[in-house]
Amino acid sequence: DAMVIQNPRYQVTQFGKPVTLSCSQTLNHNVMYWYQQKSSQAPKLLFHYYDKDFNNEADTPDNFQSRRPNTSFCFLDIRSPGLGDAAMYLCATSPLEGGWETQYFGPGTRLLVL
Amino acid sequence: AQKITQTQPGMFVQEKEAVTLDCTYDTSDQSYGLFWYKQPSSGEMIFLIYQGSYDEQNATEGRYSLNFQKARKSANLVISASQLGDSAMYFCAMREGRGSARQLTFGSGTQLTVLP
């Protein structure tokens, strides 16, 4: 089945130690998104890629970076994780057509910062 | 101003009964889409139902229906015949503009608990 895959499902890192979360998709969608979701809150968009075009949200900290080497893969890099970066990180995709397709979400990666 | 407002932080419903989760939205666009997602404790965001601003009929998907009242800017989710597996967080979301990579704007969510 076509899907959005995130690895790992749980990630533990140390304060200040760089960490990379990965997302892959078999849907061949043009757009990929990264969201941060803290406990009991709504997902917050960090950035998205429209094909290779990177779009950063204005309030996304510089500590968060992203790479999309090809259509299928997208990475979230946290350069120096702080305790406040502990959250669920959701990857999503959507096609870019004239309609109103939903975003398809992966299962998320829970990040714990020690 | 909040674009999506969900006024019920938590809701309880008895198994097999129907429940309505409220959602109001704010936009000046004529063209927009409204979505409901379910997020179980495992964390995955599951798409449930979609309503387009130009759709005259209320959307339905199995036990889910969307009560769309455009003039009141509300898009309530109705779950009929609740099941224990429906216990989860439910998010209402909106996407504005057509044919673009525009983001979803989420409400704060409603935690639904189905009681046996």
Side-chain angles (χ1 to χ4, degrees), chain B residues 73-86:
Chain B
K73 293 191 174 179
S74 75
N76 299 339
L77 176 71
V78 181
I79 305 174
S80 63
S82 298
Q83 301 172 356
L84 295 178
D86 294 335

Side-chain angles (χ1 to χ4, degrees), chain B residues 9-15 19 21 82-90 110-116:
Chain B
M11 287 281 286
F12 292 87
V13 64
Q14 209 67 40
E15 193 178 7
V19 63
L21 307 183
S82 298
Q83 301 172 356
L84 295 178
D86 294 335
S87 293
M89 183 71 96
Y90 288 81
T110 296
Q111 180 68 48
L112 177 67
T113 302
V114 180
L115 303 171

Side-chain angles (χ1 to χ4, degrees), chain A residues 37 42 96 98 100-102 110, chain B residues 37 39 41 50 95 97-98 107:
Chain A
Q37 186 181 23
L96 191 69
W100 289 97
E101 293 77 13
T102 185
R110 288 189 191 273
Chain B
Y37 290 86
Q39 189 177 40
S41 56
Y50 157 77
R95 195 174 186 183
R98 176 170 285 277

Side-chain angles (χ1 to χ4, degrees), chain A residues 60-88:
Chain A
T60 298
D62 292 340
N63 200 24
F64 291 86
Q65 304 286 322
S66 186
R67 295 170 283 135
R68 189 179 185 185
N70 53 53
T71 300
S72 300
F73 285 87
C74 195
F75 300 98
L76 170 61
D77 300 309
I78 308 176
R79 293 192 294 189
S80 182
L83 298 179
D85 297 328
M88 170 74 90

